[in-house]
Amino acid sequence: MTRERVLKLPVLEIFGPTFQGEGRAIGQKTMFVRTAGCDYHCDWCDSAFTWDGSEKPTRMTADEVIEALDALGTYDYVTLSGGNPALLAANMAELVSKLKARDVTLAVETQGSRWQEWLREIDQVTLSPKPPSSKMEVNMETLDFIVSQLDPDKLTFKVPVFDDADLAFAKMIQKRYQPDVMFLSAGNPEPKAEGNIVQNQLDRLKELWETVAADDSWGNVRVLPQLHTLLYDNERGV
């Protein structure tokens, strides 16, 4: 007799209720499900523990993930995070399907390097292609394909900015895809720093604001902080 295969997800964190710290949904109350694994190893990654082997994930079924969410409180909005949650196929599709059946609004952030059919079911897809400072190379053909498959009304483009080359990359992304709004965030160059990083982040945000404001070649753009770093520094699970 053939046994049915049990689908499990590699989960590192389930936390909340908290708030989304950046992008179009900034300030949105949400629960987070953070999965392990990433096909990028960005130089300034603020969640390197998802791919550097320093932490081991817990293998959880979709029902176990939902039970963990339920234990945190009531919710109607869940953010699927990583790493890159788009590395996961049928196991993530099952979780997405079960949360959608409960009328939960779903958000996901991915760099746009992998396509999964379940992305069509996500209410708010944030594509965050990584700029040159990440030391990663974006496959533009893959990104083109992913963009072509998604409803523009559910799609957000967000680029973290650390230097002028990153800003030029973000402008290229805006010209190539012409989103309704291009979201920029002042990146955090010291994701492992302990203590208060607020002033450094505010200084970076002010510099980015002033640079973009002085450049009239930008289209519709929003320059935002990584709000969570202003409230919690580099603390996790918030």
Side-chain angles (χ1 to χ4, degrees):
M1 182 177 179
T2 302
R3 297 178 63 181
E4 184 177 354
R5 183 166 65 99
V6 178
L7 297 175
K8 293 191 175 184
L9 291 157
V11 178
L12 282 168
E13 296 181 307
I14 298 174
F15 62 93
T18 185
F19 293 85
Q20 176 57 254
E22 54 188 318
R24 192 186 299 268
I26 192 168
Q28 170 68 51
K29 187 177 181 182
T30 184
M31 299 290 195
F32 274 88
V33 176
R34 186 186 299 279
T35 57
C38 193
D39 48 330
Y40 280 17
H41 297 167
C42 295
D43 201 49
W44 34 250
C45 180
D46 62 2
S47 52
F49 61 91
T50 63
W51 52 261
D52 66 7
S54 61
E55 297 188 23
K56 300 301 180 185
T58 301
R59 309 294 296 191
M60 302 176 70
T61 66
D63 288 337
E64 288 170 339
V65 171
I66 292 172
E67 287 174 9
L69 288 168
D70 290 347
L72 294 173
T74 59
Y75 58 93
D76 56 13
Y77 193 106
V78 171
T79 300
L80 306 174
S81 184
N84 183 8
L87 292 177
L88 304 170
N91 43 0
M92 183 62 83
E94 182 180 15
L95 176 63
V96 168
S97 177
K98 290 186 173 183
L99 286 172
K100 293 299 295 180
R102 293 171 55 144
D103 294 324
V104 173
T105 298
L106 292 178
V108 69
E109 181 169 327
T110 175
Q111 62 262 42
S113 60
R114 298 291 182 92
W115 169 252
Q116 300 291 350
E117 286 295 322
W118 56 260
L119 286 167
R120 300 185 196 277
E121 305 304 314
I122 302 297
D123 300 284
Q124 297 179 356
V125 177
T126 296
L127 292 180
S128 184
K130 303 311 178 190
S133 63
S134 70
K135 298 183 181 177
M136 297 291 106
E137 185 173 347
V138 177
N139 185 320
M140 298 305 298
E141 289 185 2
T142 299
L143 187 58
D144 286 347
F145 174 79
I146 292 171
V147 171
S148 75
Q149 298 302 302
L150 294 172
D151 181 347
D153 291 337
K154 297 181 178 181
L155 185 57
T156 293
F157 284 91
K158 177 177 68 68
V159 174
V161 175
F162 292 82
D163 55 32
D164 289 344
D166 290 356
L167 202 54
F169 173 85
K171 188 176 289 186
M172 179 275 291
I173 291 292
Q174 184 183 51
K175 288 181 178 178
R176 189 180 185 99
Y177 299 112
Q178 300 184 3
D180 61 332
V181 182
M182 185 71 201
F183 289 83
L184 307 181
S185 64
N188 175 12
E190 299 183 62
K192 294 183 179 180
E194 297 181 356
N196 191 321
I197 66 170
V198 172
Q199 190 57 55
N200 184 50
Q201 287 297 92
L202 288 174
D203 290 345
R204 292 178 58 76
L205 178 63
K206 181 174 182 285
E207 181 181 2
L208 185 56
W209 267 21
E210 292 175 349
T211 300
V212 174
D215 183 350
D216 60 9
S217 68
W218 278 99
N220 193 359
V221 61
R222 289 184 200 169
V223 179
L224 297 173
Q226 292 182 331
L227 187 58
H228 49 289
T229 66
L230 302 183
L231 298 176
Y232 299 108
D233 301 304
N234 284 323
E235 185 177 344
R236 279 177 51 182
V238 292

